[in-house]
Amino acid sequence: MPELPEVETVRHYLAAVLPGKVIGKVNVFSQKQFPQDPTLLQNRQIKAVVRKGKLLGLRLDHGQTLLIHLKLTGQLVYVPQLNRRQQAVLGHPLPFAGGNRLPGKSTRVVLYFGQPPGKEGALFFNDVRKFGWLRLVSDQEANAAMAKLGPDATSPAFSLAYFKKVLAGSRRPIKIFIMDQTKISGIGNIYANEALFRAGIDPRRPANSLRPAEISQLYQAIRTILRQSIAAQGTSAADDAYVQADGEPGHFQQQLAVYQRSGQACPRCGQPIKRIKLGGRGTFFCPHCQH
DNA sequence: TGATATGTTATCTT
DNA sequence: CAAGATAACATATC
């Protein structure tokens, strides 16, 4: 699942290779996901790669930004060298993209860089479930879209004081609350479960029922988990399409304590991890350690 | 075969 | 009116 650490890992990689490159040919295989005229991107130079929460943006010249959301199964893979048929061959199969060749079965949009197309590499947007999207907007519109999101969970704007304030105003289950992108952006199902385990808090607790010490623990847990996952290049869980921008999986799945571990031993107490549904979503926790 | 998983948003309900 | 709950989206997998 591309959540904050996964999107940040992709952003970090792309920020090292894309700025300065000029978009040449653009292929759109799924119009629903990029409904605009592909030629609008032609001959445009990439200036920077930005992110807030799970939303990515390629800042272009002419005061425009290509916003990208990976949703559930989106992948952004950059390949520096293409063969004569404009194909990329990776060292190993790409989960959900249908093998190790790009474009593949689930490739939806391709941006080719340089002239002839692909001479300076290509960026492949793959997405099995077609929930992800690309949208070219003005910088102002991009800023507005990002302003609609709550403070990024890794930014200073997400302060303990802010967290206390917004929690006080909601009776929703704490797990659902911390996944609300308008309150805090970047936390999805994996890290909501992991942060609550680390903080020892039951995911069903009403947000406004947390005591100051618990809020503090959860705040620290969120920051720690996200930092550790970014350091591990994100989580490529079971049945998860997430890969880094070079096509390699992340490593944080090795450190997961509860996510997708129902029935297995809690790493702290050894009791089995339980799975319930909250807001229609899978929720994993240790009934013995989380209250 | 049909239930399941998932992030976000539109829409419905309280 | 606002907060909260739920359906819808797409598709591979079990």
Side-chain angles (χ1 to χ4, degrees):
Chain A
M1 234 62 53
E3 302 179 29
L4 190 153
E6 290 75 33
V7 180
E8 173 57 21
T9 300
V10 169
R11 187 208 65 78
H12 186 257
Y13 187 98
L14 296 181
V17 294
L18 295 187
K21 290 213 186 318
V22 175
I23 300 169
K25 191 172 111 166
V26 175
N27 268 349
V28 177
F29 303 106
S30 170
Q31 253 203 131
K32 158 190 146 70
Q33 296 176 269
F34 183 55
Q36 292 156 297
D37 180 354
T39 62
L40 291 172
L41 290 172
Q42 226 150 61
N43 303 319
R44 308 297 301 284
Q45 188 177 47
I46 297 175
K47 297 292 191 186
V49 188
V50 298
R51 176 192 66 79
K52 183 174 181 185
K54 307 172 192 174
L55 186 58
L56 258 182
L58 303 189
R59 291 236 113 110
L60 308 177
D61 52 9
H62 298 16
Q64 286 185 300
T65 299
L66 182 64
L67 288 177
I68 304 174
H69 203 302
L70 301 176
K71 289 287 187 91
L72 305 182
T73 56
Q75 303 173 326
L76 277 177
V77 178
Y78 173 77
V79 182
Q81 198 73 42
L82 302 191
N83 66 24
R84 278 181 217 86
R85 305 164 93 172
Q86 291 186 0
Q87 277 208 339
V89 181
L90 288 87
H92 59 76
L94 206 52
F96 288 76
N100 67 338
R101 281 164 188 280
L102 293 174
K105 189 175 290 222
S106 65
T107 299
R108 312 303 180 191
V109 179
V110 188
L111 307 184
Y112 294 94
F113 302 109
Q115 208 49 246
K119 177 139 205 298
E120 291 172 45
L123 184 64
F124 296 86
F125 173 72
N126 310 314
D127 187 10
V128 183
R129 286 182 197 160
K130 300 186 182 177
F131 283 170
W133 48 259
L134 290 75
R135 195 156 55 100
L136 181 66
V137 298
S138 68
D139 284 350
Q140 290 94 319
E141 288 174 272
N143 293 343
M146 294 209 173
K148 282 185 187 169
L149 298 169
D152 183 275
T154 56
S155 79
F158 175 54
S159 66
L160 180 58
Y162 170 84
F163 195 34
K164 279 185 175 157
K165 189 187 75 183
V166 291
L167 283 181
S170 173
R171 300 178 310 195
R172 305 168 83 188
I174 184 63
K175 185 203 171 209
I176 293 182
F177 185 90
I178 61 176
M179 290 172 68
D180 183 340
Q181 304 301 302
T182 68
K183 302 296 194 300
I184 313 153
S185 60
I187 302 171
N189 207 23
I190 297 175
Y191 301 106
N193 282 298
E194 293 297 314
L196 286 163
F197 171 78
R198 180 172 246 274
I201 295 168
D202 188 313
R204 299 165 291 191
R205 289 267 302 281
N208 64 0
S209 75
L210 270 63
R211 306 192 318 269
E214 294 175 319
I215 297 176
S216 210
Q217 279 164 5
L218 182 54
Y219 178 80
Q220 288 305 333
I222 288 170
R223 301 212 86 126
T224 303
I225 289 284
L226 296 178
R227 184 165 33 80
Q228 291 179 343
S229 183
I230 290 170
Q233 285 87 44
T235 302
S236 294
D239 304 322
D240 189 351
Y242 167 71
V243 290
Q244 303 178 50
D246 59 0
E248 296 291 327
H251 310 291
F252 196 70
Q253 58 275 17
Q254 296 161 11
Q255 298 177 58
L256 295 177
V258 292
Y259 182 73
Q260 285 185 342
R261 290 176 50 88
S262 44
Q264 298 182 54
C266 165
R268 188 185 289 162
C269 75
Q271 303 267 15
I273 298 300
K274 200 177 166 189
R275 179 187 195 282
I276 60 170
K277 280 212 168 193
L278 259 189
R281 297 295 185 251
T283 300
F284 305 84
F285 69 109
C286 173
H288 185 251
C289 295
Q290 295 174 253
H291 300 283

